[in-house]
Amino acid sequence: MDYDSVAAAIAGCEGVFHVACPVPSGRSTDPETEIIAPAVTGTLNVLKACHEAKVKRVVMVSSGAAVVANPNWPKGKAFDEESWSDEDHCRKNGDWYYLSKTLAEREAFAYAAKTGLDIVTICPSLVIGPLIQSRVNSSSKVLLNYLKGEHDTVENKSRDIVDVRDVADAILLAYENPEMSGRYICNSPAIRVSDMINILETLYPTYIYPKSITEVEDNLIYSSEKLQKLGWTFRPVEKTLGDSVESYKASGILN
């Protein structure tokens, strides 16, 4: 969160992609310090440095977490860019990551309104896909848990996922397309956990999968229509799941 180091890195840049934000791996004992402050202060430091450096456009990766924690959104309606996660609701439920992403994105647009800095945000759902590092990130753990039999029983939730390569395409599109403004949800069609596991079992039958699946009422749906209208497309889920597993195997995360 050191402003001087951020400013030095940004000096001379025409465009900046702000993609980093702490994701808690477990329950935080001090969420304001560990999760919220790095997200909000870190974002503002990047934006201030961009403004000083006269950067032409900033593309900020927010999250679907800044969209869906909205108890007032009409039931059954797909979440779109008009929905913002409710801050009081997040605090009440201890959804600190959701709160951090919401506050950071709101602060970004407030700063843009005040300074004229050109900011576009991308709000991806659960990001999975091939890893470029050997360390497992939080979103990949969701998929790995299905492959390693971490739970005998899982809920048949509706999973909103998106391939990391498709997120990268969305970020580049947001930078290169002058028509883009505001925020954009980035999500491929929702898939039930049971369907994900069926695909994985077909491709990789030797792994240990959950023994039973419990049906639950869960109709969480995102709409990426705004982004798709500008030409963004997504890979088939079978491709994303298969390439993810091959990546885990290549990095030694899976046998």
Side-chain angles (χ1 to χ4, degrees):
M1 293 197 296
D2 179 68
Y3 175 79
D4 290 337
S5 62
V6 171
I10 289 173
C13 293
E14 291 188 355
V16 169
F17 304 132
H18 178 44
V19 300
C21 184
V23 180
S25 58
R27 185 174 294 277
S28 173
T29 57
D30 186 3
E32 293 287 345
T33 301
E34 296 173 352
I35 303 172
I36 295 173
V40 176
T41 304
T43 294
L44 287 175
N45 281 346
V46 169
L47 299 182
K48 290 174 184 176
C50 289
H51 181 57
E52 289 294 323
K54 295 181 171 53
V55 167
K56 293 181 179 179
R57 171 167 282 187
V58 179
V59 180
M60 172 181 165
V61 179
S62 181
S63 172
V67 175
V68 298
N70 181 356
N72 298 315
W73 191 252
K75 189 174 182 179
K77 180 182 178 181
F79 286 92
D80 61 29
E81 289 79 5
E82 295 300 315
S83 176
W84 285 85
S85 290
D86 183 88
E87 295 171 22
D88 291 337
H89 178 77
C90 291
R91 289 187 184 278
K92 180 180 177 181
N93 290 282
D95 293 329
W96 304 114
Y97 176 71
Y98 285 58
L99 180 61
S100 72
K101 298 301 287 189
T102 304
L103 293 174
E105 190 180 359
R106 283 197 179 278
E107 287 288 345
F109 282 123
Y111 188 84
K114 181 174 67 175
T115 63
L117 183 64
D118 185 3
I119 299 174
V120 177
T121 65
I122 302 295
C123 300
S125 53
L126 182 72
V127 181
I128 60 175
L131 300 175
I132 59 173
Q133 78 284 349
S134 58
R135 184 172 58 85
V136 180
N137 58 353
S138 297
S139 55
S140 294
K141 287 180 181 178
V142 174
L143 184 55
L144 283 164
N145 284 343
Y146 299 146
L147 294 159
K148 292 184 173 182
E150 293 291 334
H151 305 287
D152 287 339
T153 302
V154 294
E155 293 182 339
N156 197 20
K157 294 181 178 180
S158 175
R159 281 288 185 192
D160 289 275
I161 61 175
V162 63
D163 193 298
V164 65
R165 295 164 293 186
D166 296 333
V167 177
D169 289 342
I171 293 169
L172 287 174
L173 181 65
Y175 178 67
E176 295 172 348
N177 188 334
E179 296 179 13
M180 293 182 69
S181 63
R183 63 202 308 236
Y184 292 83
I185 291 173
C186 183
N187 180 58
S188 57
I191 181 172
R192 287 282 173 183
V193 168
S194 58
D195 294 326
M196 286 181 66
I197 292 175
N198 285 339
I199 293 170
L200 290 167
E201 281 190 299
T202 299
L203 295 173
Y204 304 98
T206 60
Y207 288 115
I208 302 171
Y209 296 95
K211 294 182 175 65
S212 62
I213 298 175
T214 304
E215 294 299 327
V216 293
E217 184 177 350
D218 179 24
N219 295 309
L220 178 63
I221 302 172
Y222 291 89
S223 171
S224 291
E225 182 179 356
K226 182 181 176 184
L227 187 58
Q228 288 177 267
K229 283 182 176 179
L230 293 171
W232 178 77
T233 59
F234 49 84
R235 288 165 173 77
V237 66
E238 294 83 0
K239 176 69 172 171
T240 297
L241 294 176
D243 288 353
S244 297
V245 174
E246 291 301 321
S247 169
Y248 302 157
K249 290 165 64 178
S251 62
I253 297 170
L254 274 176
N255 296 325

